[in-house]
Amino acid sequence: MGCFQIFIKNNVVFSPTIRINYCMPFLATIADELQSSVPYYICTHIRPDGDAVGSQIAFTRYLNSLKIKAFCVLTHDVPRNLQTLIKDTPCIYLEDMGEDNVGALITLDCADLTRLPASFKNLTYFLNIDHHPNNPNFAKHNYVQNSFSSTCEILITLFKEVCWNFDLTAAQALYAGLITDTGNFSHSNVSANTFACAAHLLQCTHLQPYTIIQSLFEQKTLAQIRLLSLFLSRIQLYCNEQIACIELTRDDYIKTNTQHSDTEGFIAHALTIQNVKIAAFIEYNENFVKGSLRSKSPHLAVNQVARQFGGFGHICAAGFQCASQTFSRHQLIQSLANLIEQP
Ligand SMILES: [Mn+2]
């Protein structure tokens, strides 16, 4: 596979078709510091999604291919459909990690340290690769570019620069990250580079995109479909039918024998309603409230509203978690309405 690179000085330029890396490929700059004597633990954010797990798998395999010992650090809440991507990738469960034997830490797709599991929040990180806006570059080496649709898109771009020959498992994981963070290439974060990255995966391996779609999106349980039906029945419209709001309680999950991770992708249904510009999905737990916010347009920055409730996220996809006493649905709808009514 050919590889196109230009080496000049300083930083990175991103064009719709070609990303020119002046200086040295980023992964080449960190390669000198990788040590074969220490294990590298590849972490991601809590409640991991396709981009999180996909990038963990690919990067672990990349390091392994360099003869560097590396493990994906998993939590027990990795959704069932994403677990199928792992295959023979070396993994370790958070609970099985010794406190004193930490090794070197890498985070992928993690907006900041607060998004890591509790025992990882106060540690130092060797590398941080992410596409969230406002990532504070908390590691020794940071590659944070919010022009990319996904961390997997960043990784594919970086792997291209160093001509890494990834295998089918890595390609499938990376493809899963691309399609989950872009809503199957339908969100406003999709660029020419996103498609170029997808094409690269197909050119380099025998990846069959339909098999990833099937294993990610066509594995629902009947209980999940019942939960979806409940979710759809709860849609309420506000602000001249421009805001869709859905509320589920812990009882709803108990009644349908489901859990939070079973709602993955539900909120997208609310955005398909004519005239709806923003969707808010609120889940009430015993002591806290979780919110997911989505907007149809990059002009409606729902991460601003998420921040008011202690959350974070992308312009069109953000979330928050706050104590039940501090949450006001009225205030949330009002803040979202203000976004729409802004000149
Ligand atoms: Mn992501």
Side-chain angles (χ1 to χ4, degrees), residues 171-190:
Q172 289 172 333
L174 290 165
Y175 194 80
L178 279 185
I179 61 175
T180 49
D181 263 27
T182 61
N184 288 320
F185 305 108
S186 71
H187 296 161
S188 57
N189 57 8
V190 172

Side-chain angles (χ1 to χ4, degrees), residues 299-300 337-343:
H299 303 295
L300 299 169
N338 291 344
L339 273 187
I340 291 173
E341 280 150 16
Q342 263 169 25

Side-chain angles (χ1 to χ4, degrees), residues 31 33 51 65 68 84 119 126 153 162 169 172 202 281 337 341:
E33 286 189 46
D51 190 31
S65 77
I68 303 287
T84 61
S119 56
F126 169 69
E153 184 185 330
V162 293
T169 301
Q172 289 172 333
L202 269 71
F281 174 25
E341 280 150 16

